[in-house]
Coordinates of all heavy atoms in Angstrom, one line a residue:
Chain A
A565 N -10.1 27.9 45.2 CA -9.6 26.7 45.9 C -9.9 26.6 47.4 O -10.6 25.7 47.8 CB -8.1 26.6 45.7
W566 N -9.5 27.6 48.1 CA -9.5 27.4 49.6 C -10.7 28.1 50.2 O -11.3 27.6 51.2 CB -8.2 27.9 50.2 CG -7.1 27.1 49.8 CD1 -6.1 27.5 49.0 CD2 -6.8 25.8 50.1 NE1 -5.2 26.5 48.7 CE2 -5.6 25.4 49.4 CE3 -7.4 24.8 50.8 CZ2 -5.1 24.2 49.5 CZ3 -6.9 23.5 50.9 CH2 -5.7 23.2 50.2
T567 N -11.2 29.2 49.6 CA -12.3 29.8 50.2 C -13.6 29.1 50.0 O -14.6 29.3 50.7 CB -12.4 31.3 49.7 OG1 -12.4 31.2 48.3 CG2 -11.3 32.2 50.2
D568 N -13.6 28.2 49.1 CA -14.9 27.5 48.7 C -15.0 26.2 49.4 O -15.9 25.4 49.0 CB -15.0 27.4 47.2 CG -15.5 28.7 46.6 OD1 -15.8 29.6 47.3 OD2 -15.7 28.7 45.3
L569 N -14.2 25.8 50.3 CA -14.2 24.5 50.9 C -15.6 24.3 51.6 O -16.1 23.2 51.7 CB -13.1 24.3 52.0 CG -11.7 23.9 51.4 CD1 -10.8 23.8 52.6 CD2 -11.8 22.7 50.6
G570 N -16.2 25.3 52.1 CA -17.5 25.2 52.8 C -18.7 25.6 51.8 O -19.8 25.7 52.3
A571 N -18.4 25.9 50.6 CA -19.5 26.2 49.7 C -20.4 25.0 49.4 O -19.9 23.9 49.4 CB -18.9 26.8 48.4
P572 N -21.7 25.3 49.0 CA -22.6 24.1 48.7 C -22.0 23.2 47.7 O -21.4 23.6 46.7 CB -23.8 24.8 48.2 CG -23.8 26.2 48.8 CD -22.3 26.6 48.9
L573 N -22.2 21.9 47.9 CA -21.7 20.9 47.0 C -22.9 20.4 46.1 O -23.9 19.9 46.7 CB -21.2 19.7 47.8 CG -19.9 19.8 48.4 CD1 -19.6 18.7 49.4 CD2 -18.8 19.8 47.3
R574 N -22.8 20.6 44.9 CA -23.9 20.2 44.0 C -23.5 18.8 43.4 O -22.6 18.7 42.6 CB -24.0 21.3 42.8 CG -24.5 22.6 43.4 CD -23.9 23.8 42.6 NE -24.4 23.8 41.3 CZ -25.5 24.4 40.9 NH1 -26.2 25.1 41.8 NH2 -26.0 24.5 39.7
V575 N -24.3 17.9 43.9 CA -24.0 16.5 43.5 C -25.1 15.9 42.7 O -26.2 15.9 43.1 CB -23.7 15.6 44.8 CG1 -23.3 14.2 44.4 CG2 -22.8 16.3 45.7
R576 N -24.7 15.3 41.5 CA -25.7 14.7 40.6 C -26.2 13.5 41.2 O -25.4 12.7 41.8 CB -25.0 14.4 39.2 CG -24.8 15.7 38.4 CD -26.0 16.2 37.7 NE -26.6 15.1 36.9 CZ -26.2 14.8 35.6 NH1 -25.2 15.5 35.1 NH2 -26.8 13.9 34.9
V577 N -27.5 13.2 41.1 CA -28.0 11.9 41.5 C -28.6 11.3 40.3 O -29.2 12.0 39.5 CB -29.1 12.1 42.7 CG1 -28.4 12.4 44.0 CG2 -30.1 13.1 42.3
A578 N -28.5 10.0 40.2 CA -29.0 9.3 39.0 C -30.5 9.3 39.0 O -31.1 9.2 40.1 CB -28.5 7.8 39.0
L579 N -31.1 9.5 37.8 CA -32.5 9.5 37.7 C -33.0 8.0 37.7 O -32.3 7.1 37.3 CB -32.9 10.1 36.4 CG -32.7 11.6 36.3 CD1 -32.9 12.0 34.9 CD2 -33.7 12.3 37.2
P580 N -34.2 7.8 38.2 CA -34.7 6.4 38.2 C -34.8 6.0 36.7 O -35.1 6.8 35.8 CB -36.1 6.6 38.8 CG -36.2 7.8 39.5 CD -35.1 8.7 38.9
T581 N -34.5 4.7 36.5 CA -34.4 4.2 35.1 C -35.7 4.5 34.3 O -35.6 4.8 33.2 CB -34.2 2.7 35.2 OG1 -33.2 2.5 36.1 CG2 -33.7 2.2 33.8
A582 N -36.9 4.4 35.0 CA -38.1 4.5 34.3 C -38.3 5.9 33.7 O -39.0 6.0 32.6 CB -39.3 4.2 35.2
S583 N -37.8 6.9 34.4 CA -38.1 8.2 33.9 C -37.1 8.7 32.8 O -37.2 9.7 32.3 CB -38.0 9.2 35.0 OG -36.7 9.3 35.6
R584 N -36.0 7.9 32.6 CA -35.1 8.3 31.5 C -35.7 8.1 30.2 O -36.3 7.1 29.9 CB -33.8 7.5 31.6 CG -32.9 7.9 32.8 CD -31.6 7.2 32.8 NE -30.9 7.4 34.0 CZ -30.1 6.5 34.5 NH1 -29.9 5.4 33.9 NH2 -29.4 6.8 35.6
K585 N -35.5 9.1 29.3 CA -35.9 8.9 28.0 C -34.7 8.5 27.1 O -34.1 9.3 26.4 CB -36.5 10.2 27.5 CG -37.8 10.6 28.1 CD -38.4 11.8 27.5 CE -39.8 12.1 28.2 NZ -40.4 13.3 27.7
A586 N -34.5 7.2 27.2 CA -33.3 6.7 26.4 C -33.8 6.4 25.0 O -35.0 6.0 24.8 CB -32.8 5.5 27.1
P587 N -32.9 6.4 24.0 CA -33.3 6.1 22.7 C -33.7 4.6 22.7 O -33.2 3.7 23.3 CB -32.1 6.3 21.8 CG -30.9 6.4 22.8 CD -31.6 6.9 24.1
R588 N -34.7 4.3 21.8 CA -35.2 2.9 21.8 C -34.2 2.0 21.2 O -33.6 2.3 20.2 CB -36.5 2.9 21.0 CG -37.3 1.6 21.1 CD -38.6 1.7 20.2 NE -39.3 0.5 20.2 CZ -40.3 0.3 21.1 NH1 -40.6 1.3 22.0 NH2 -40.9 -0.8 21.1
R589 N -33.9 0.9 21.9 CA -32.9 -0.1 21.4 C -33.5 -1.4 21.5 O -34.3 -1.8 22.3 CB -31.7 0.0 22.4 CG -30.8 1.1 22.1 CD -29.5 1.0 22.8 NE -29.7 0.9 24.3 CZ -28.7 0.7 25.1 NH1 -27.5 0.5 24.7 NH2 -28.9 0.6 26.4
E590 N -33.1 -2.2 20.5 CA -33.5 -3.6 20.5 C -32.9 -4.3 21.7 O -31.7 -4.2 21.9 CB -33.0 -4.3 19.2 CG -33.8 -3.8 18.0 CD -35.3 -4.2 18.1 OE1 -35.7 -5.3 18.4 OE2 -36.1 -3.2 17.8
P591 N -33.7 -5.1 22.5 CA -33.1 -5.8 23.5 C -32.1 -6.9 23.0 O -32.4 -7.5 22.0 CB -34.3 -6.5 24.2 CG -35.3 -6.5 23.2 CD -35.1 -5.4 22.3
P592 N -31.0 -7.1 23.8 CA -30.1 -8.1 23.3 C -30.7 -9.5 23.5 O -31.6 -9.7 24.2 CB -28.9 -8.0 24.3 CG -29.4 -7.3 25.5 CD -30.6 -6.4 25.0
A593 N -30.1 -10.4 22.7 CA -30.7 -11.8 22.8 C -30.5 -12.4 24.2 O -29.4 -12.1 24.8 CB -29.9 -12.6 21.8
W594 N -31.5 -13.0 24.7 CA -31.5 -13.6 26.1 C -30.4 -14.7 26.2 O -30.6 -15.7 25.4 CB -32.9 -14.0 26.5 CG -33.0 -14.9 27.6 CD1 -33.5 -16.2 27.5 CD2 -32.5 -14.8 29.0 NE1 -33.5 -16.8 28.8 CE2 -32.9 -15.9 29.6 CE3 -31.9 -13.7 29.6 CZ2 -32.6 -16.1 31.0 CZ3 -31.6 -13.9 31.0 CH2 -31.9 -15.1 31.7
D595 N -29.5 -14.7 27.1 CA -28.5 -15.7 27.3 C -28.5 -16.1 28.8 O -28.0 -15.4 29.6 CB -27.2 -15.2 26.8 CG -26.1 -16.3 26.9 OD1 -26.3 -17.3 27.6 OD2 -25.0 -16.1 26.4
A596 N -29.2 -17.1 29.2 CA -29.3 -17.5 30.6 C -28.0 -17.8 31.2 O -27.7 -17.4 32.3 CB -30.3 -18.8 30.7
R597 N -27.1 -18.5 30.4 CA -25.8 -18.8 31.0 C -25.0 -17.6 31.3 O -24.4 -17.5 32.4 CB -25.0 -19.8 30.0 CG -23.9 -20.4 30.7 CD -23.2 -21.4 29.7 NE -24.1 -22.5 29.3 CZ -23.7 -23.4 28.4 NH1 -22.6 -23.3 27.8 NH2 -24.6 -24.3 28.1
A598 N -25.0 -16.6 30.4 CA -24.3 -15.4 30.6 C -24.8 -14.6 31.8 O -24.1 -14.0 32.7 CB -24.3 -14.5 29.4
A599 N -26.2 -14.6 31.9 CA -26.8 -13.9 33.0 C -26.4 -14.5 34.3 O -26.1 -13.9 35.3 CB -28.3 -13.9 32.9
D600 N -26.5 -15.9 34.4 CA -26.1 -16.6 35.7 C -24.7 -16.4 36.0 O -24.3 -16.3 37.2 CB -26.5 -18.0 35.5 CG -28.0 -18.3 35.6 OD1 -28.7 -17.4 36.1 OD2 -28.4 -19.4 35.1
A601 N -23.8 -16.3 35.0 CA -22.4 -16.1 35.3 C -22.2 -14.7 35.9 O -21.4 -14.5 36.8 CB -21.6 -16.3 34.0
A602 N -22.9 -13.7 35.3 CA -22.8 -12.4 35.8 C -23.3 -12.3 37.3 O -22.7 -11.6 38.1 CB -23.5 -11.4 35.0
I603 N -24.4 -13.0 37.6 CA -24.9 -13.0 38.9 C -23.9 -13.7 39.9 O -23.6 -13.3 41.0 CB -26.3 -13.8 39.0 CG1 -27.4 -13.0 38.2 CG2 -26.8 -14.0 40.4 CD1 -28.6 -13.7 38.0
G604 N -23.3 -14.8 39.4 CA -22.2 -15.5 40.2 C -21.1 -14.5 40.5 O -20.5 -14.5 41.6
E605 N -20.7 -13.7 39.5 CA -19.6 -12.7 39.7 C -20.0 -11.7 40.8 O -19.2 -11.5 41.7 CB -19.4 -12.0 38.4 CG -18.5 -10.7 38.5 CD -17.1 -11.0 38.9 OE1 -16.7 -12.1 38.7 OE2 -16.4 -10.0 39.3
A606 N -21.2 -11.2 40.8 CA -21.7 -10.3 41.9 C -21.7 -11.0 43.2 O -21.3 -10.4 44.2 CB -23.1 -9.8 41.5
R607 N -22.1 -12.3 43.3 CA -22.1 -13.0 44.5 C -20.7 -13.2 45.1 O -20.4 -13.0 46.3 CB -22.8 -14.4 44.3 CG -23.2 -15.1 45.6 CD -23.8 -16.5 45.3 NE -24.9 -16.5 44.4 CZ -24.9 -17.1 43.2 NH1 -23.8 -17.8 42.8 NH2 -26.0 -17.1 42.5
E608 N -19.7 -13.5 44.1 CA -18.4 -13.6 44.6 C -17.8 -12.3 45.1 O -17.1 -12.3 46.2 CB -17.5 -14.1 43.4 CG -17.5 -15.6 43.1 CD -16.8 -15.9 41.9 OE1 -15.8 -15.2 41.5 OE2 -17.1 -17.0 41.3
Q609 N -18.1 -11.2 44.5 CA -17.6 -9.9 45.0 C -18.2 -9.6 46.4 O -17.5 -9.2 47.3 CB -18.0 -8.8 44.0 CG -17.4 -8.9 42.7 CD -16.0 -8.5 42.6 OE1 -15.4 -8.3 43.7 NE2 -15.4 -8.4 41.4
L610 N -19.4 -10.0 46.6 CA -20.1 -9.8 47.9 C -19.4 -10.6 49.0 O -19.1 -10.2 50.1 CB -21.6 -10.1 47.8 CG -22.4 -9.8 49.0 CD1 -22.4 -8.3 49.3 CD2 -23.8 -10.3 48.8
Q611 N -19.2 -11.9 48.6 CA -18.5 -12.8 49.6 C -17.1 -12.4 49.9 O -16.6 -12.6 51.0 CB -18.5 -14.3 49.0 CG -19.9 -14.9 49.2 CD -20.1 -16.1 48.3 OE1 -19.2 -16.5 47.5 NE2 -21.2 -16.8 48.4
A612 N -16.5 -11.7 49.0 CA -15.1 -11.2 49.2 C -15.1 -9.8 49.9 O -14.1 -9.1 50.0 CB -14.4 -11.1 47.9
A613 N -16.3 -9.4 50.3 CA -16.5 -8.1 51.0 C -16.1 -6.9 50.1 O -15.8 -5.8 50.6 CB -15.8 -8.0 52.3
R614 N -16.2 -7.1 48.8 CA -15.9 -5.9 47.9 C -17.3 -5.4 47.4 O -17.8 -5.8 46.4 CB -15.1 -6.4 46.7 CG -13.6 -6.8 47.0 CD -12.8 -6.9 45.8 NE -12.9 -8.2 45.2 CZ -12.2 -9.3 45.4 NH1 -11.2 -9.2 46.3 NH2 -12.5 -10.4 44.8
F615 N -17.8 -4.6 48.3 CA -19.2 -4.2 48.2 C -19.5 -3.3 47.0 O -20.5 -3.4 46.4 CB -19.7 -3.5 49.5 CG -19.5 -4.5 50.7 CD1 -18.6 -4.2 51.7 CD2 -20.1 -5.7 50.8 CE1 -18.3 -5.0 52.8 CE2 -19.9 -6.6 51.8 CZ -19.0 -6.2 52.8
E616 N -18.6 -2.3 46.8 CA -18.9 -1.4 45.6 C -18.8 -2.3 44.3 O -19.6 -2.1 43.5 CB -17.8 -0.3 45.6 CG -17.9 0.7 46.7 CD -19.0 1.7 46.5 OE1 -19.7 1.6 45.5 OE2 -19.3 2.5 47.4
E617 N -17.8 -3.1 44.3 CA -17.7 -4.0 43.1 C -18.9 -4.9 42.9 O -19.4 -5.2 41.8 CB -16.4 -4.8 43.2 CG -15.2 -4.0 42.9 CD -14.7 -3.3 44.1 OE1 -15.4 -3.1 45.1 OE2 -13.5 -2.9 44.1
A618 N -19.4 -5.4 44.1 CA -20.6 -6.2 44.1 C -21.8 -5.5 43.4 O -22.5 -6.0 42.6 CB -20.9 -6.7 45.5
L619 N -21.9 -4.2 43.8 CA -23.0 -3.4 43.3 C -22.9 -3.2 41.8 O -23.9 -3.3 41.1 CB -23.1 -2.0 44.0 CG -23.5 -2.0 45.5 CD1 -23.4 -0.6 46.1 CD2 -24.9 -2.5 45.6
A620 N -21.6 -2.9 41.4 CA -21.4 -2.7 40.0 C -21.7 -4.0 39.2 O -22.3 -4.0 38.1 CB -20.0 -2.3 39.7
A621 N -21.3 -5.1 39.8 CA -21.5 -6.4 39.1 C -23.0 -6.8 39.0 O -23.5 -7.3 38.0 CB -20.7 -7.5 39.8
A622 N -23.7 -6.5 40.1 CA -25.1 -6.8 40.1 C -25.8 -5.9 39.0 O -26.8 -6.4 38.3 CB -25.7 -6.4 41.5
E623 N -25.4 -4.7 38.8 CA -26.0 -3.8 37.8 C -25.7 -4.4 36.4 O -26.6 -4.4 35.6 CB -25.4 -2.4 38.0 CG -26.2 -1.3 37.5 CD -27.6 -1.3 38.2 OE1 -27.8 -1.6 39.4 OE2 -28.6 -1.2 37.4
Q624 N -24.5 -4.9 36.2 CA -24.1 -5.5 34.9 C -25.0 -6.7 34.7 O -25.4 -7.0 33.6 CB -22.7 -5.8 34.9 CG -21.8 -4.5 34.7 CD -20.3 -4.8 34.7 OE1 -19.9 -6.0 34.9 NE2 -19.5 -3.8 34.6
A625 N -25.2 -7.5 35.8 CA -25.9 -8.8 35.6 C -27.4 -8.4 35.3 O -28.0 -9.2 34.4 CB -25.9 -9.6 36.9
R626 N -27.9 -7.4 35.8 CA -29.3 -7.0 35.6 C -29.5 -6.7 34.0 O -30.5 -7.0 33.5 CB -29.7 -5.8 36.4 CG -31.1 -5.8 36.9 CD -31.4 -4.6 37.7 NE -30.8 -4.7 39.0 CZ -31.4 -5.4 40.1 NH1 -32.5 -6.0 39.9 NH2 -30.7 -5.4 41.2
E627 N -28.4 -6.1 33.5 CA -28.5 -5.7 32.1 C -28.6 -7.0 31.2 O -29.2 -7.0 30.1 CB -27.3 -4.9 31.7 CG -27.4 -3.5 32.2 CD -26.1 -2.7 31.9 OE1 -25.2 -3.2 31.1 OE2 -25.9 -1.6 32.5
K628 N -28.0 -8.0 31.8 CA -28.0 -9.3 31.0 C -29.4 -10.0 31.0 O -29.6 -11.0 30.4 CB -26.9 -10.2 31.4 CG -25.5 -9.7 31.2 CD -24.5 -10.7 31.3 CE -23.1 -10.1 31.1 NZ -22.9 -9.4 29.9
L629 N -30.3 -9.5 31.9 CA -31.6 -10.1 32.0 C -32.6 -9.6 31.0 O -33.7 -10.1 30.9 CB -32.2 -9.9 33.4 CG -31.4 -10.5 34.6 CD1 -32.1 -10.2 35.9 CD2 -31.2 -12.0 34.4
A630 N -32.1 -8.5 30.3 CA -33.0 -8.0 29.3 C -33.3 -9.0 28.3 O -32.4 -9.7 27.8 CB -32.3 -6.8 28.6
G631 N -34.6 -9.1 27.9 CA -35.0 -10.1 26.9 C -35.5 -11.4 27.5 O -36.0 -12.2 26.8

Side-chain angles (χ1 to χ4, degrees):
Chain A
W566 297 109
T567 51
D568 280 0
L569 281 179
L573 282 168
R574 296 148 67 86
V575 186
R576 287 280 304 277
V577 286
L579 291 168
T581 315
S583 66
R584 283 184 193 154
K585 287 185 178 175
R588 194 181 176 88
R589 282 189 299 177
E590 286 300 313
W594 159 241
D595 183 345
R597 195 177 296 174
D600 288 339
I603 294 170
E605 165 68 18
R607 197 184 301 120
E608 278 176 25
Q609 297 286 8
L610 185 66
Q611 283 164 355
R614 290 193 282 267
F615 303 114
E616 291 282 358
E617 286 82 343
L619 289 176
E623 209 51 44
Q624 284 175 2
R626 214 179 289 276
E627 284 173 14
K628 295 196 185 302
L629 298 182

